[in-house]
């Protein structure tokens, strides 16, 4: 009998946890923009803004893609560094 009560308590605890709504943080267009920038980086065609140096870092390529998506007005969270 004791095991049934603990099992009931565990299932009740699982039900009480509220599930967060699944809204997209990034629009599909923003992810497409990042995808094109990643392809350009892999081909060696992606350059950084001011200096014009070739981008070799994956994270920098993603940041460039998100920045371009923001400028185009697509749904992207604000830049935490600005």
């Amino acid at each position: 009998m004791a095991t049934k009560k603990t099992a009931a308590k565990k299932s009740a605890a699982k039900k009480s946890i509220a599930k967060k709504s699944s809204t997209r943080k990034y629009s599909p267009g923003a992810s497409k923009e990042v995808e094109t920038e990643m392809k350009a980086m892999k081909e060696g065609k992606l350059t950084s803004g001011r200096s014009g140096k070739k981008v070799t870092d994956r994270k920098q390529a993603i940041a460039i893609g998100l920045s371009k998506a923001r400028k185009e007005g697509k749904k992207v969270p604000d830049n935490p560094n600005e």
Side-chain angles (χ1 to χ4, degrees):
M1 269 191 151
T3 55
K4 288 183 180 179
K5 286 182 181 179
T6 55
K9 285 181 182 179
K10 286 181 183 177
S11 63
K14 286 182 183 177
K15 289 179 184 177
S16 66
I17 298 171
K19 191 172 186 180
K20 198 174 187 180
S21 64
S22 60
T23 57
R24 289 181 70 107
K25 285 187 179 182
Y26 299 90
S27 67
S31 62
K32 200 62 125 171
E33 188 73 40
V34 171
E35 182 182 343
T36 56
E37 296 303 319
M38 287 295 290
K39 284 183 180 178
M41 185 210 46
K42 288 178 182 177
E43 292 170 1
K45 296 178 181 176
L46 184 63
T47 57
S48 63
R50 192 171 288 177
S51 65
K53 289 184 177 179
K54 202 181 292 184
V55 174
T56 58
D57 187 30
R58 182 179 62 88
K59 288 184 178 181
Q60 189 176 2
I62 293 169
I64 291 169
L66 291 175
S67 178
K68 286 186 178 181
R70 275 188 199 99
K71 286 178 184 173
E72 291 177 6
K74 295 177 181 169
K75 184 183 174 188
V76 182
D78 292 332
N79 189 348
N81 298 327
E82 290 182 356

